[in-house]
Amino acid sequence: MSGGGTLSRRLFLAAPLAVAACQASPGAVDGHDVARVERYLNTTRGLTARVVQTWPDGGVGEGMFAYEPGHLRLDYRTPHPMRLVAAGGHLVFRDAQRQSVTRMNLSHQPLGLLLATPVHLGGAVMVTAVRHGANVLQISMARSDNPSQGLLTLGFSDFAGQLSLVAIDLLDERHNSTRLHLTDIRTGADFPPGFFSLDAPLLAARAVGVRARGWGVGWCRTGPGLRRAGLHPPLPCPRRGPGRAGW
C-alpha cells in the first residue's frame, strides 16, 4: 500500500477520528474483522507515516511514525525534538530539550497490546468492540485479566477490503487519553539495523534515517545529566511517574 490510497486516507482524517462517530453498536464482535486486523498487524512491514499526536493535557506534537511487527518508533519535530521507541515489551522516551530519558515496561500499558509478537486478539487480549463506518473500521481491545489497565483503540481505513492503520487511541487506567492521527501512510520502508534500538541516543536523523519520504527531521544529541520525565510535553518534568502517561 504505497501512494495509491493516500488521498482517500487524508480525506478520511479531515475530521478528528471520524470513526468515533460510527453508529453501530459496540456489543457485537465480528470475528472476520478481528482476524483481518490481527493479520494486518502481524504482516505489515516497513510502515511509515506522518503523525499528529494529542497528549492528555491537550498538547500536540508532530513528526514521523514507524511500525514493524513488535516495534514502534515516533520521531517528534514539534513541540521540540523527541523520540519514542518501543520494542520487546519496553518503551524508551528521549527528550533532547530537557536532556531526559524515560523508560517504561509496557506489560501493564495499553500500547503493549499493539506490540505483542505475534499479535493475538483473543485469549489474553479481549476485543471489546468492533465498529464500522463508511470505509472505516475501528477495533478496541484490553487485557482479559485486567481490563481496567487500559484500552487500545485502532482506527483503519477500509477500501476494497484493504486495511490501513490511520489512528491509535490509548486510554490508561486513570482515563488519560492519548491520540495519534496518521497520514501519508506507506509500507515497504527499508529500516536500517538498530533503527528500533532502545539504547540508541538521539542523534541526527540522517545518521539513522530510513529510506522513506518525509524522514528528514534534524534532531539534537542528548547530553549528560539525564533526568526522568513524563510523556506530556510541553509541560516540565512532572512529579508523577511515567506510567501515568497514557501509554
Side-chain angles (χ1 to χ4, degrees):
M1 177 189 350
S2 54
T6 300
L7 178 59
S8 296
R9 285 188 282 275
R10 285 175 178 169
L11 292 173
F12 167 76
L13 287 175
L17 196 59
V19 70
C22 297
Q23 296 180 352
S25 168
V29 174
D30 187 327
H32 173 68
D33 284 327
V34 170
R36 293 174 64 210
V37 170
E38 188 176 277
R39 183 167 56 252
Y40 176 92
L41 296 176
N42 287 323
T43 61
T44 298
R45 303 284 176 179
L47 188 154
T48 63
R50 300 182 186 276
V51 62
V52 176
Q53 177 168 334
T54 304
W55 278 277
D57 63 4
V60 176
E62 299 184 27
M64 297 300 298
F65 173 97
Y67 172 83
E68 189 90 355
H71 304 79
L72 183 145
R73 172 168 155 171
L74 294 167
D75 284 281
Y76 300 90
R77 184 181 68 254
T78 62
H80 53 264
M82 299 175 289
R83 178 185 297 152
L84 181 151
V85 180
H90 294 83
L91 176 152
V92 175
F93 181 79
R94 288 182 164 83
D95 186 322
Q97 179 171 298
R98 299 190 181 95
Q99 296 188 339
S100 64
V101 177
T102 300
R103 301 180 186 274
M104 184 188 303
N105 189 307
L106 293 176
S107 61
H108 301 294
Q109 302 295 330
L111 184 63
L113 299 171
L114 176 63
L115 301 178
T117 49
V119 172
H120 177 56
L121 303 182
V125 178
M126 172 178 60
V127 175
T128 62
V130 176
R131 297 182 177 89
H132 291 272
N135 299 318
V136 167
L137 172 66
Q138 182 189 55
I139 184 168
S140 299
M141 62 196 75
R143 287 183 171 81
S144 300
D145 60 350
N146 194 349
S148 64
Q149 286 182 347
L151 184 72
L152 170 68
T153 299
L154 304 177
F156 297 87
S157 63
D158 189 359
F159 294 96
Q162 187 174 20
L163 296 178
S164 180
L165 181 65
V166 294
I168 301 173
D169 280 270
L170 304 112
L171 187 70
D172 71 9
E173 61 184 353
R174 295 199 170 189
H175 301 285
N176 294 312
S177 177
T178 301
R179 173 172 293 177
L180 291 81
H181 286 170
L182 308 181
T183 57
D184 198 12
I185 301 112
R186 299 171 183 271
T187 58
D190 183 13
F191 297 126
F195 184 76
F196 293 102
S197 170
L198 299 177
D199 299 321
L202 197 56
L203 302 174
R206 288 183 179 179
V208 290
V210 299
R211 296 170 188 168
R213 191 181 75 177
W215 213 284
V217 184
W219 296 121
C220 304
R221 185 186 299 268
T222 51
L226 298 174
R227 55 192 173 89
R228 296 185 65 83
L231 303 180
H232 294 242
L235 298 179
C237 288
R239 292 187 176 87
R240 59 181 178 276
R244 307 301 183 213
W247 292 105

